[in-house]
Amino acid sequence: MPPESGYYNSKKTDDICEEMCGENSRSASSISRLKCLLRGFDLKALLFLFIGIPLLILFIYIHGQKITYFLRPLWDSPPKPFSTIPHYYHPNISAQNLCSLHGWKPRQSPRKVFDAVLFSNELDILQIRWKELSPYVDEFVILESNSTFTGQVKPLFFAENRKNFSFVDDRLTYGTVGGRFVKKENPFVEESYQRVALDQLIRIAGIQNDDVLIMSDVDEIPSGHTIDLLRWCDGIPDILHLQLKNYLYSFEFLLDDKSWRASVHKYRTGSTRYAHFRQSDILLADSGWHCSFCFRHISDFVFKMKAYSHVDRVRFGYFLNPVRIQEVICKGADLFDMFPEEYTFQDIIAKLGNIPKSKSAVYLPSYLLENAQKFRYLLPGSGNCRRDSG
C-alpha cells in the first residue's frame, strides 16, 4: 500500500546506473555517463563494428583482386576446349613424310611466310625470335609506336637499335604509328588501335592470298620447324592456333603448356585481320615457346608493368620496387601477387606458390643456346636469375 504522504515512483531503477549517472549523484562525469550508456550494448558487437568492419574493408581493398581470381570458378566458365592436332617432328624426317604424318599433302614449293609483330621493348627476345624464324620467313613486319598501351610516351627502341637486326634488313618492313595519348582510356583501346595499324602495314609489305601469316606477340615464339611444316604442306587449316610452352622470367621457370594466343593464318584478302584473341578451335600441339617478362634489366620490368594493357594489376606502388622485383624473379613468384588464372579450384590450388625451377635447357631456341653467355639470364642455373638494374 502506498505511503500516505510523499512522492512515490513505481518504475524500476538500476541501482548502479543511478549511483553513477543519476541526477542526484555528485560523482557523475562524462566518462561515467558513457560507461553507463555502453551497458546497453554487447561488447562483441561493438568490437565487430569499430574494429572488425574496418579491418574487413582494408583486407578487401588490399586483396580484393586476389579474392576475385580465387573465386573465378564461381563466376566464370572455361572456354570451349580446342581440337588439338598431334605434332610430329624429327630433324631426320623429310618434309614429305612430316606432311603425311599430319594428314596433309606436300607442296611442290613452299608458301611465302610473313611474321608480323607489335614491338614495345623486348630487344633480346626479338633477336632470339627472328634468328629462330629467319630460315623460314620471307618478310618480317614490325610496328612500334611512341606510345605505350597506357598512353605513356615511349622511345622508339627498335629504331634506336636497328643495327642489331641487320641480318633481316633486306626483308624487313618497319613502320611507326603515333600514339593518341587519350587520358584515362582503357589500355585495350590503344592496343586495338595499334593492331589495326599493323594490319595495314602487313598489306604494305606485299602479302598475297595463301601466304602464311604469323600473328603473335614478340615473346610468343613459334619453333622454326613448325613454320617450316606449315609452309610446305597443303591441307593445313586456314587458321591454326599454336600451343606454346609457357615460361615466366626465363626458361628456368616453366609454368605450363597452355599458351594458345599465337596463330598462323593462310592469308585471305578482305577477311584476314590481325588480332590476338581466339579465332579458331584448332590447336597445333607443342609448337614453340612463350617467355613472358623475360627481360635483362629490372628497369624493363618496371617499364612493362606500367605500359601494358593489364596495368590495373599494379595495385600498389611498392610492386615497382626494384629490390622486390628481383626477389620475385629469383623465387619464381608472381609480380602482381595474384592467384593463378584458372577455371577450377583444383587447377588454382595446384599452381599456388612459386614456380618450380627447371634444370632442362633441352629443345630451346637454337640461337639462345649458341649464345648462352650473352643470354645467361634466360637459362637455368645457379645465380642466372640475377638482373642488371638497367
Side-chain angles (χ1 to χ4, degrees), residues 57-117:
I57 293 171
L58 179 63
F59 180 83
I60 293 174
Y61 173 73
I62 295 175
H63 299 291
Q65 197 173 51
K66 291 180 68 175
I67 295 170
T68 300
Y69 271 85
F70 184 77
L71 297 178
R72 185 174 189 171
L74 300 180
W75 57 264
D76 199 6
S77 300
K80 178 183 176 182
F82 280 99
S83 175
T84 303
I85 299 175
H87 191 171
Y88 303 92
Y89 173 72
H90 192 280
N92 294 336
I93 299 180
S94 68
Q96 180 177 356
N97 286 338
L98 287 173
C99 288
S100 298
L101 283 169
H102 291 85
W104 304 326
K105 294 181 179 180
R107 294 169 55 90
Q108 294 298 316
S109 60
R111 294 183 182 85
K112 291 183 68 176
V113 178
F114 288 70
D115 180 41
V117 294

Short mmCIF file of all heavy atoms in Angstrom, two decimals, residues 57-117:
data_model
loop_
_atom_site.label_atom_id
_atom_site.label_comp_id
_atom_site.label_asym_id
_atom_site.label_seq_id
_atom_site.Cartn_x
_atom_site.Cartn_y
_atom_site.Cartn_z
N ILE A 57 37.19 -4.11 -44.49
CA ILE A 57 37.27 -3.20 -45.63
C ILE A 57 38.71 -3.07 -46.12
O ILE A 57 38.99 -3.09 -47.33
CB ILE A 57 36.69 -1.82 -45.26
CG1 ILE A 57 35.18 -1.94 -45.00
CG2 ILE A 57 36.97 -0.79 -46.35
CD1 ILE A 57 34.55 -0.68 -44.43
N LEU A 58 39.66 -2.96 -45.17
CA LEU A 58 41.07 -2.86 -45.54
C LEU A 58 41.54 -4.13 -46.23
O LEU A 58 42.27 -4.07 -47.23
CB LEU A 58 41.91 -2.61 -44.27
CG LEU A 58 43.43 -2.51 -44.49
CD1 LEU A 58 43.76 -1.31 -45.38
CD2 LEU A 58 44.15 -2.38 -43.14
N PHE A 59 41.11 -5.29 -45.75
CA PHE A 59 41.50 -6.57 -46.35
C PHE A 59 40.98 -6.68 -47.78
O PHE A 59 41.72 -7.10 -48.68
CB PHE A 59 40.96 -7.72 -45.51
CG PHE A 59 41.31 -9.08 -46.04
CD1 PHE A 59 42.54 -9.66 -45.76
CD2 PHE A 59 40.41 -9.79 -46.83
CE1 PHE A 59 42.87 -10.92 -46.24
CE2 PHE A 59 40.72 -11.05 -47.32
CZ PHE A 59 41.96 -11.61 -47.03
N ILE A 60 39.74 -6.28 -47.99
CA ILE A 60 39.16 -6.33 -49.34
C ILE A 60 39.89 -5.38 -50.28
O ILE A 60 40.15 -5.68 -51.44
CB ILE A 60 37.65 -6.02 -49.30
CG1 ILE A 60 36.91 -7.15 -48.56
CG2 ILE A 60 37.08 -5.84 -50.70
CD1 ILE A 60 35.44 -6.87 -48.34
N TYR A 61 40.24 -4.20 -49.75
CA TYR A 61 40.97 -3.21 -50.56
C TYR A 61 42.33 -3.76 -51.01
O TYR A 61 42.74 -3.60 -52.16
CB TYR A 61 41.17 -1.93 -49.77
CG TYR A 61 42.06 -0.92 -50.45
CD1 TYR A 61 41.61 -0.20 -51.56
CD2 TYR A 61 43.37 -0.69 -49.99
CE1 TYR A 61 42.43 0.73 -52.19
CE2 TYR A 61 44.19 0.23 -50.62
CZ TYR A 61 43.72 0.94 -51.71
OH TYR A 61 44.53 1.84 -52.34
N ILE A 62 43.02 -4.44 -50.11
CA ILE A 62 44.35 -4.96 -50.42
C ILE A 62 44.28 -6.22 -51.25
O ILE A 62 45.05 -6.40 -52.20
CB ILE A 62 45.13 -5.22 -49.11
CG1 ILE A 62 45.39 -3.90 -48.36
CG2 ILE A 62 46.45 -5.93 -49.39
CD1 ILE A 62 46.03 -4.08 -47.00
N HIS A 63 43.35 -7.12 -50.93
CA HIS A 63 43.34 -8.45 -51.56
C HIS A 63 42.11 -8.71 -52.42
O HIS A 63 41.90 -9.85 -52.83
CB HIS A 63 43.42 -9.52 -50.46
CG HIS A 63 44.66 -9.45 -49.63
ND1 HIS A 63 45.92 -9.74 -50.13
CD2 HIS A 63 44.84 -9.10 -48.33
CE1 HIS A 63 46.82 -9.60 -49.18
NE2 HIS A 63 46.20 -9.21 -48.07
N GLY A 64 41.32 -7.68 -52.71
CA GLY A 64 40.07 -7.89 -53.45
C GLY A 64 40.28 -8.55 -54.79
O GLY A 64 39.54 -9.46 -55.18
N GLN A 65 41.32 -8.11 -55.53
CA GLN A 65 41.59 -8.70 -56.83
C GLN A 65 42.00 -10.17 -56.71
O GLN A 65 41.58 -11.01 -57.52
CB GLN A 65 42.69 -7.90 -57.54
CG GLN A 65 42.77 -8.15 -59.04
CD GLN A 65 43.74 -7.21 -59.71
OE1 GLN A 65 44.88 -7.07 -59.29
NE2 GLN A 65 43.30 -6.56 -60.78
N LYS A 66 42.78 -10.49 -55.69
CA LYS A 66 43.17 -11.88 -55.46
C LYS A 66 41.95 -12.73 -55.14
O LYS A 66 41.82 -13.86 -55.64
CB LYS A 66 44.17 -11.97 -54.31
CG LYS A 66 45.54 -11.37 -54.61
CD LYS A 66 46.47 -11.50 -53.42
CE LYS A 66 46.84 -12.94 -53.14
NZ LYS A 66 47.83 -13.07 -52.08
N ILE A 67 41.06 -12.20 -54.31
CA ILE A 67 39.85 -12.94 -53.96
C ILE A 67 39.02 -13.22 -55.20
O ILE A 67 38.50 -14.32 -55.40
CB ILE A 67 39.03 -12.16 -52.91
CG1 ILE A 67 39.81 -12.03 -51.59
CG2 ILE A 67 37.69 -12.83 -52.67
CD1 ILE A 67 39.18 -11.09 -50.60
N THR A 68 38.91 -12.20 -56.07
CA THR A 68 38.13 -12.36 -57.31
C THR A 68 38.70 -13.48 -58.17
O THR A 68 37.96 -14.31 -58.71
CB THR A 68 38.13 -11.04 -58.09
OG1 THR A 68 37.55 -10.01 -57.30
CG2 THR A 68 37.33 -11.18 -59.38
N TYR A 69 40.03 -13.52 -58.30
CA TYR A 69 40.66 -14.57 -59.11
C TYR A 69 40.50 -15.94 -58.47
O TYR A 69 40.31 -16.94 -59.17
CB TYR A 69 42.13 -14.24 -59.34
CG TYR A 69 42.35 -13.38 -60.56
CD1 TYR A 69 42.25 -12.00 -60.49
CD2 TYR A 69 42.64 -13.96 -61.79
CE1 TYR A 69 42.44 -11.21 -61.61
CE2 TYR A 69 42.83 -13.18 -62.92
CZ TYR A 69 42.73 -11.80 -62.82
OH TYR A 69 42.91 -11.02 -63.93
N PHE A 70 40.59 -16.00 -57.15
CA PHE A 70 40.42 -17.28 -56.48
C PHE A 70 39.01 -17.82 -56.66
O PHE A 70 38.81 -19.04 -56.78
CB PHE A 70 40.76 -17.16 -55.00
CG PHE A 70 40.71 -18.48 -54.27
CD1 PHE A 70 41.75 -19.40 -54.40
CD2 PHE A 70 39.63 -18.82 -53.48
CE1 PHE A 70 41.70 -20.62 -53.75
CE2 PHE A 70 39.57 -20.03 -52.82
CZ PHE A 70 40.61 -20.94 -52.96
N LEU A 71 38.04 -16.92 -56.69
CA LEU A 71 36.64 -17.34 -56.82
C LEU A 71 36.20 -17.42 -58.28
O LEU A 71 35.00 -17.59 -58.57
CB LEU A 71 35.73 -16.36 -56.06
CG LEU A 71 35.94 -16.29 -54.54
CD1 LEU A 71 35.02 -15.26 -53.93
CD2 LEU A 71 35.73 -17.66 -53.90
N ARG A 72 37.14 -17.32 -59.20
CA ARG A 72 36.80 -17.34 -60.62
C ARG A 72 35.95 -18.55 -61.02
O ARG A 72 35.03 -18.40 -61.84
CB ARG A 72 38.08 -17.30 -61.46
CG ARG A 72 37.82 -17.19 -62.96
CD ARG A 72 39.11 -17.00 -63.74
NE ARG A 72 38.85 -16.70 -65.13
CZ ARG A 72 39.78 -16.32 -65.99
NH1 ARG A 72 41.04 -16.21 -65.60
NH2 ARG A 72 39.48 -16.07 -67.23
N PRO A 73 36.20 -19.75 -60.49
CA PRO A 73 35.34 -20.88 -60.88
C PRO A 73 33.86 -20.67 -60.58
O PRO A 73 33.01 -21.34 -61.17
CB PRO A 73 35.91 -22.04 -60.04
CG PRO A 73 37.34 -21.67 -59.80
CD PRO A 73 37.32 -20.17 -59.62
N LEU A 74 33.55 -19.72 -59.68
CA LEU A 74 32.15 -19.48 -59.32
C LEU A 74 31.47 -18.50 -60.27
O LEU A 74 30.24 -18.53 -60.42
CB LEU A 74 32.06 -18.94 -57.88
CG LEU A 74 32.61 -19.85 -56.78
CD1 LEU A 74 32.43 -19.17 -55.42
CD2 LEU A 74 31.91 -21.21 -56.79
N TRP A 75 32.27 -17.61 -60.91
CA TRP A 75 31.65 -16.57 -61.73
C TRP A 75 32.04 -16.63 -63.21
O TRP A 75 31.51 -15.87 -64.03
CB TRP A 75 31.96 -15.17 -61.19
CG TRP A 75 33.43 -14.83 -61.05
CD1 TRP A 75 34.18 -14.93 -59.93
CD2 TRP A 75 34.30 -14.32 -62.07
NE1 TRP A 75 35.48 -14.53 -60.16
CE2 TRP A 75 35.58 -14.14 -61.47
CE3 TRP A 75 34.15 -13.98 -63.41
CZ2 TRP A 75 36.68 -13.65 -62.18
CZ3 TRP A 75 35.24 -13.50 -64.12
CH2 TRP A 75 36.48 -13.33 -63.50
N ASP A 76 32.94 -17.53 -63.57
CA ASP A 76 33.37 -17.62 -64.97
C ASP A 76 33.40 -19.08 -65.42
O ASP A 76 33.65 -19.98 -64.61
CB ASP A 76 34.77 -16.99 -65.12
CG ASP A 76 35.08 -16.63 -66.56
OD1 ASP A 76 34.19 -16.77 -67.42
OD2 ASP A 76 36.22 -16.19 -66.83
N SER A 77 33.17 -19.28 -66.68
CA SER A 77 33.18 -20.63 -67.25
C SER A 77 34.39 -20.79 -68.16
O SER A 77 34.79 -19.85 -68.84
CB SER A 77 31.90 -20.89 -68.05
OG SER A 77 30.77 -20.78 -67.23
N PRO A 78 34.98 -21.98 -68.20
CA PRO A 78 36.13 -22.20 -69.09
C PRO A 78 35.72 -22.10 -70.54
O PRO A 78 34.56 -22.41 -70.90
CB PRO A 78 36.59 -23.61 -68.73
CG PRO A 78 35.40 -24.28 -68.14
CD PRO A 78 34.63 -23.20 -67.46
N PRO A 79 36.63 -21.66 -71.42
CA PRO A 79 36.30 -21.60 -72.84
C PRO A 79 36.14 -23.00 -73.42
O PRO A 79 36.55 -24.00 -72.82
CB PRO A 79 37.51 -20.89 -73.45
CG PRO A 79 38.64 -21.19 -72.50
CD PRO A 79 38.01 -21.24 -71.14
N LYS A 80 35.55 -23.05 -74.58
CA LYS A 80 35.39 -24.33 -75.28
C LYS A 80 36.76 -24.95 -75.52
O LYS A 80 37.69 -24.26 -75.94
CB LYS A 80 34.69 -24.09 -76.62
CG LYS A 80 34.51 -25.32 -77.48
CD LYS A 80 33.88 -24.95 -78.82
CE LYS A 80 33.78 -26.15 -79.74
NZ LYS A 80 33.20 -25.77 -81.07
N PRO A 81 36.93 -26.23 -75.25
CA PRO A 81 38.24 -26.86 -75.47
C PRO A 81 38.65 -26.82 -76.94
O PRO A 81 37.81 -26.87 -77.83
CB PRO A 81 38.01 -28.31 -75.01
CG PRO A 81 36.80 -28.27 -74.14
CD PRO A 81 35.94 -27.17 -74.68
N PHE A 82 39.96 -26.70 -77.16
CA PHE A 82 40.48 -26.75 -78.52
C PHE A 82 40.46 -28.19 -79.04
O PHE A 82 40.51 -29.15 -78.26
CB PHE A 82 41.93 -26.25 -78.56
CG PHE A 82 42.08 -24.76 -78.55
CD1 PHE A 82 42.38 -24.08 -77.37
CD2 PHE A 82 41.94 -24.03 -79.72
CE1 PHE A 82 42.53 -22.70 -77.36
CE2 PHE A 82 42.08 -22.65 -79.72
CZ PHE A 82 42.38 -21.98 -78.54
N SER A 83 40.38 -28.31 -80.35
CA SER A 83 40.64 -29.58 -81.01
C SER A 83 42.13 -29.60 -81.35
O SER A 83 42.57 -28.86 -82.22
CB SER A 83 39.79 -29.70 -82.28
OG SER A 83 40.12 -30.89 -82.98
N THR A 84 42.89 -30.41 -80.62
CA THR A 84 44.35 -30.36 -80.72
C THR A 84 44.88 -31.37 -81.74
O THR A 84 44.55 -32.56 -81.68
CB THR A 84 44.99 -30.63 -79.34
OG1 THR A 84 44.49 -29.68 -78.40
CG2 THR A 84 46.50 -30.49 -79.42
N ILE A 85 45.69 -30.86 -82.66
CA ILE A 85 46.32 -31.71 -83.67
C ILE A 85 47.65 -32.22 -83.11
O ILE A 85 48.49 -31.42 -82.69
CB ILE A 85 46.58 -30.92 -84.96
CG1 ILE A 85 45.27 -30.41 -85.56
CG2 ILE A 85 47.34 -31.77 -85.98
CD1 ILE A 85 45.45 -29.52 -86.77
N PRO A 86 47.88 -33.53 -83.10
CA PRO A 86 49.20 -34.04 -82.69
C PRO A 86 50.28 -33.49 -83.62
O PRO A 86 50.07 -33.35 -84.83
CB PRO A 86 49.05 -35.56 -82.84
CG PRO A 86 47.59 -35.82 -82.80
CD PRO A 86 46.94 -34.62 -83.43
N HIS A 87 51.42 -33.17 -83.03
CA HIS A 87 52.51 -32.55 -83.79
C HIS A 87 53.68 -33.54 -83.88
O HIS A 87 54.23 -33.94 -82.86
CB HIS A 87 52.95 -31.27 -83.08
CG HIS A 87 53.87 -30.42 -83.88
ND1 HIS A 87 54.23 -29.15 -83.48
CD2 HIS A 87 54.53 -30.63 -85.04
CE1 HIS A 87 55.05 -28.62 -84.37
NE2 HIS A 87 55.26 -29.52 -85.33
N TYR A 88 54.05 -33.90 -85.11
CA TYR A 88 55.14 -34.84 -85.35
C TYR A 88 56.36 -34.08 -85.88
O TYR A 88 56.25 -33.24 -86.77
CB TYR A 88 54.72 -35.90 -86.37
CG TYR A 88 53.49 -36.68 -85.98
CD1 TYR A 88 52.23 -36.26 -86.39
CD2 TYR A 88 53.60 -37.82 -85.19
CE1 TYR A 88 51.10 -36.98 -86.04
CE2 TYR A 88 52.47 -38.54 -84.83
CZ TYR A 88 51.23 -38.12 -85.25
OH TYR A 88 50.10 -38.82 -84.90
N TYR A 89 57.53 -34.42 -85.31
CA TYR A 89 58.76 -33.79 -85.82
C TYR A 89 59.99 -34.58 -85.41
O TYR A 89 60.08 -35.07 -84.28
CB TYR A 89 58.92 -32.36 -85.30
CG TYR A 89 60.25 -31.76 -85.69
CD1 TYR A 89 60.52 -31.40 -87.01
CD2 TYR A 89 61.27 -31.62 -84.74
CE1 TYR A 89 61.76 -30.90 -87.38
CE2 TYR A 89 62.50 -31.12 -85.10
CZ TYR A 89 62.75 -30.77 -86.42
OH TYR A 89 63.97 -30.28 -86.78
N HIS A 90 60.91 -34.70 -86.33
CA HIS A 90 62.27 -35.14 -86.07
C HIS A 90 63.14 -34.59 -87.19
O HIS A 90 62.73 -34.60 -88.36
CB HIS A 90 62.36 -36.67 -86.01
CG HIS A 90 63.67 -37.16 -85.48
ND1 HIS A 90 64.82 -37.23 -86.25
CD2 HIS A 90 64.03 -37.58 -84.23
CE1 HIS A 90 65.81 -37.68 -85.52
NE2 HIS A 90 65.37 -37.90 -84.28
N PRO A 91 64.32 -34.08 -86.85
CA PRO A 91 65.15 -33.46 -87.91
C PRO A 91 65.55 -34.41 -89.04
O PRO A 91 65.91 -33.95 -90.13
CB PRO A 91 66.38 -32.96 -87.13
CG PRO A 91 66.39 -33.72 -85.86
CD PRO A 91 64.96 -33.98 -85.53
N ASN A 92 65.49 -35.71 -88.78
CA ASN A 92 65.89 -36.67 -89.82
C ASN A 92 64.74 -37.15 -90.70
O ASN A 92 64.94 -38.00 -91.57
CB ASN A 92 66.56 -37.89 -89.18
CG ASN A 92 67.87 -37.53 -88.51
OD1 ASN A 92 68.51 -36.55 -88.87
ND2 ASN A 92 68.27 -38.32 -87.52
N ILE A 93 63.54 -36.61 -90.47
CA ILE A 93 62.38 -37.00 -91.27
C ILE A 93 62.12 -35.91 -92.31
O ILE A 93 62.13 -34.72 -92.00
CB ILE A 93 61.15 -37.22 -90.39
CG1 ILE A 93 61.41 -38.35 -89.38
CG2 ILE A 93 59.92 -37.56 -91.23
CD1 ILE A 93 60.26 -38.63 -88.46
N SER A 94 61.86 -36.30 -93.54
CA SER A 94 61.66 -35.36 -94.64
C SER A 94 60.36 -34.59 -94.49
O SER A 94 59.42 -35.03 -93.80
CB SER A 94 61.66 -36.10 -95.98
OG SER A 94 60.51 -36.93 -96.08
N ALA A 95 60.29 -33.44 -95.16
CA ALA A 95 59.08 -32.63 -95.14
C ALA A 95 57.90 -33.41 -95.71
O ALA A 95 56.77 -33.29 -95.23
CB ALA A 95 59.30 -31.35 -95.93
N GLN A 96 58.16 -34.22 -96.74
CA GLN A 96 57.09 -35.02 -97.35
C GLN A 96 56.48 -35.98 -96.34
O GLN A 96 55.26 -36.09 -96.22
CB GLN A 96 57.65 -35.79 -98.54
CG GLN A 96 56.60 -36.65 -99.25
CD GLN A 96 57.14 -37.36 -100.47
OE1 GLN A 96 58.30 -37.16 -100.84
NE2 GLN A 96 56.33 -38.18 -101.10
N ASN A 97 57.32 -36.66 -95.59
CA ASN A 97 56.82 -37.60 -94.59
C ASN A 97 56.12 -36.88 -93.43
O ASN A 97 55.12 -37.38 -92.90
CB ASN A 97 57.95 -38.47 -94.06
CG ASN A 97 58.39 -39.53 -95.06
OD1 ASN A 97 57.63 -39.90 -95.95
ND2 ASN A 97 59.62 -40.00 -94.93
N LEU A 98 56.65 -35.73 -93.05
CA LEU A 98 56.03 -34.98 -91.96
C LEU A 98 54.63 -34.50 -92.36
O LEU A 98 53.70 -34.56 -91.56
CB LEU A 98 56.90 -33.79 -91.57
CG LEU A 98 58.18 -34.13 -90.80
CD1 LEU A 98 59.05 -32.89 -90.61
CD2 LEU A 98 57.86 -34.75 -89.44
N CYS A 99 54.50 -34.03 -93.60
CA CYS A 99 53.16 -33.63 -94.07
C CYS A 99 52.20 -34.81 -94.01
O CYS A 99 51.05 -34.68 -93.56
CB CYS A 99 53.25 -33.09 -95.50
SG CYS A 99 54.04 -31.47 -95.66
N SER A 100 52.65 -35.98 -94.46
CA SER A 100 51.81 -37.16 -94.47
C SER A 100 51.40 -37.58 -93.06
O SER A 100 50.25 -37.98 -92.82
CB SER A 100 52.54 -38.32 -95.15
OG SER A 100 52.83 -38.02 -96.51
N LEU A 101 52.31 -37.48 -92.10
CA LEU A 101 52.00 -37.83 -90.71
C LEU A 101 50.87 -36.97 -90.15
O LEU A 101 50.10 -37.41 -89.29
CB LEU A 101 53.25 -37.69 -89.84
CG LEU A 101 54.30 -38.80 -89.94
CD1 LEU A 101 55.58 -38.40 -89.23
CD2 LEU A 101 53.75 -40.10 -89.36
N HIS A 102 50.76 -35.72 -90.62
CA HIS A 102 49.73 -34.82 -90.14
C HIS A 102 48.45 -34.92 -90.97
O HIS A 102 47.48 -34.19 -90.70
CB HIS A 102 50.25 -33.37 -90.15
CG HIS A 102 51.31 -33.11 -89.13
ND1 HIS A 102 52.65 -33.37 -89.36
CD2 HIS A 102 51.24 -32.63 -87.87
CE1 HIS A 102 53.35 -33.05 -88.29
NE2 HIS A 102 52.52 -32.60 -87.37
N GLY A 103 48.45 -35.80 -91.97
CA GLY A 103 47.27 -35.93 -92.82
C GLY A 103 47.20 -34.88 -93.90
O GLY A 103 46.13 -34.65 -94.48
N TRP A 104 48.31 -34.23 -94.20
CA TRP A 104 48.39 -33.19 -95.22
C TRP A 104 49.21 -33.68 -96.42
O TRP A 104 49.85 -34.72 -96.35
CB TRP A 104 48.99 -31.90 -94.64
CG TRP A 104 48.26 -31.39 -93.42
CD1 TRP A 104 46.92 -31.48 -93.18
CD2 TRP A 104 48.83 -30.72 -92.30
NE1 TRP A 104 46.61 -30.90 -91.96
CE2 TRP A 104 47.77 -30.43 -91.40
CE3 TRP A 104 50.11 -30.32 -91.94
CZ2 TRP A 104 47.96 -29.77 -90.20
CZ3 TRP A 104 50.32 -29.66 -90.75
CH2 TRP A 104 49.25 -29.38 -89.87
N LYS A 105 49.20 -32.89 -97.47
CA LYS A 105 49.94 -33.27 -98.67
C LYS A 105 51.12 -32.32 -98.87
O LYS A 105 50.99 -31.11 -98.66
CB LYS A 105 49.03 -33.23 -99.90
CG LYS A 105 47.92 -34.27 -99.86
CD LYS A 105 47.06 -34.19 -101.12
CE LYS A 105 45.96 -35.25 -101.10
NZ LYS A 105 45.10 -35.19 -102.32
N PRO A 106 52.28 -32.84 -99.29
CA PRO A 106 53.43 -31.98 -99.53
C PRO A 106 53.23 -31.11 -100.78
O PRO A 106 52.59 -31.53 -101.75
CB PRO A 106 54.58 -32.97 -99.72
CG PRO A 106 53.94 -34.23 -100.17
CD PRO A 106 52.60 -34.27 -99.52
N ARG A 107 53.77 -29.91 -100.73
CA ARG A 107 53.70 -28.98 -101.85
C ARG A 107 54.95 -29.10 -102.74
O ARG A 107 56.00 -29.59 -102.29
CB ARG A 107 53.60 -27.54 -101.34
CG ARG A 107 52.31 -27.23 -100.60
CD ARG A 107 52.39 -25.87 -99.90
NE ARG A 107 52.75 -24.81 -100.82
CZ ARG A 107 51.90 -24.06 -101.52
NH1 ARG A 107 50.59 -24.31 -101.40
NH2 ARG A 107 52.31 -23.11 -102.33
N GLN A 108 54.83 -28.62 -103.95
CA GLN A 108 55.98 -28.58 -104.85
C GLN A 108 56.97 -27.49 -104.45
O GLN A 108 58.18 -27.61 -104.64
CB GLN A 108 55.52 -28.36 -106.29
CG GLN A 108 54.71 -29.51 -106.86
CD GLN A 108 55.50 -30.81 -106.91
OE1 GLN A 108 56.67 -30.83 -107.32
NE2 GLN A 108 54.87 -31.89 -106.46
N SER A 109 56.44 -26.41 -103.88
CA SER A 109 57.27 -25.29 -103.41
C SER A 109 56.62 -24.71 -102.15
O SER A 109 55.39 -24.79 -101.99
CB SER A 109 57.42 -24.21 -104.48
OG SER A 109 56.15 -23.70 -104.84
N PRO A 110 57.40 -24.12 -101.28
CA PRO A 110 56.83 -23.62 -100.02
C PRO A 110 56.05 -22.32 -100.22
O PRO A 110 56.33 -21.55 -101.14
CB PRO A 110 58.06 -23.39 -99.14
CG PRO A 110 59.16 -23.09 -100.12
CD PRO A 110 58.87 -23.94 -101.32
N ARG A 111 55.09 -22.09 -99.36
CA ARG A 111 54.41 -20.80 -99.32
C ARG A 111 55.36 -19.72 -98.81
O ARG A 111 56.29 -20.00 -98.07
CB ARG A 111 53.20 -20.84 -98.38
CG ARG A 111 52.06 -21.73 -98.79
CD ARG A 111 50.93 -21.60 -97.77
NE ARG A 111 49.81 -22.47 -98.09
CZ ARG A 111 49.73 -23.75 -97.73
NH1 ARG A 111 50.72 -24.29 -97.02
NH2 ARG A 111 48.70 -24.48 -98.07
N LYS A 112 55.07 -18.48 -99.16
CA LYS A 112 55.78 -17.36 -98.55
C LYS A 112 55.26 -17.16 -97.13
O LYS A 112 54.08 -17.37 -96.84
CB LYS A 112 55.59 -16.08 -99.37
CG LYS A 112 56.27 -16.10 -100.72
CD LYS A 112 56.11 -14.76 -101.43
CE LYS A 112 56.88 -13.65 -100.72
NZ LYS A 112 56.80 -12.37 -101.48
N VAL A 113 56.14 -16.77 -96.24
CA VAL A 113 55.79 -16.60 -94.83
C VAL A 113 56.06 -15.17 -94.39
O VAL A 113 57.15 -14.62 -94.66
CB VAL A 113 56.59 -17.57 -93.93
CG1 VAL A 113 56.24 -17.34 -92.46
CG2 VAL A 113 56.31 -19.03 -94.32
N PHE A 114 55.09 -14.55 -93.72
CA PHE A 114 55.21 -13.21 -93.15
C PHE A 114 55.09 -13.33 -91.63
O PHE A 114 54.15 -13.97 -91.13
CB PHE A 114 54.12 -12.28 -93.68
CG PHE A 114 54.31 -11.87 -95.12
CD1 PHE A 114 54.15 -12.80 -96.15
CD2 PHE A 114 54.63 -10.56 -95.45
CE1 PHE A 114 54.31 -12.43 -97.48
CE2 PHE A 114 54.81 -10.18 -96.77
CZ PHE A 114 54.65 -11.12 -97.79
N ASP A 115 56.02 -12.73 -90.92
CA ASP A 115 55.97 -12.70 -89.45
C ASP A 115 55.73 -11.26 -89.02
O ASP A 115 56.54 -10.38 -89.28
CB ASP A 115 57.27 -13.21 -88.85
CG ASP A 115 57.27 -13.19 -87.33
OD1 ASP A 115 56.22 -13.54 -86.75
OD2 ASP A 115 58.30 -12.81 -86.73
N ALA A 116 54.60 -11.00 -88.36
CA ALA A 116 54.22 -9.63 -88.01
C ALA A 116 54.08 -9.48 -86.50
O ALA A 116 53.41 -10.28 -85.85
CB ALA A 116 52.90 -9.28 -88.70
N VAL A 117 54.70 -8.42 -85.95
CA VAL A 117 54.66 -8.20 -84.50
C VAL A 117 54.50 -6.71 -84.19
O VAL A 117 54.97 -5.85 -84.93
CB VAL A 117 55.94 -8.72 -83.79
CG1 VAL A 117 56.04 -10.21 -83.88
CG2 VAL A 117 57.19 -8.06 -84.36
#
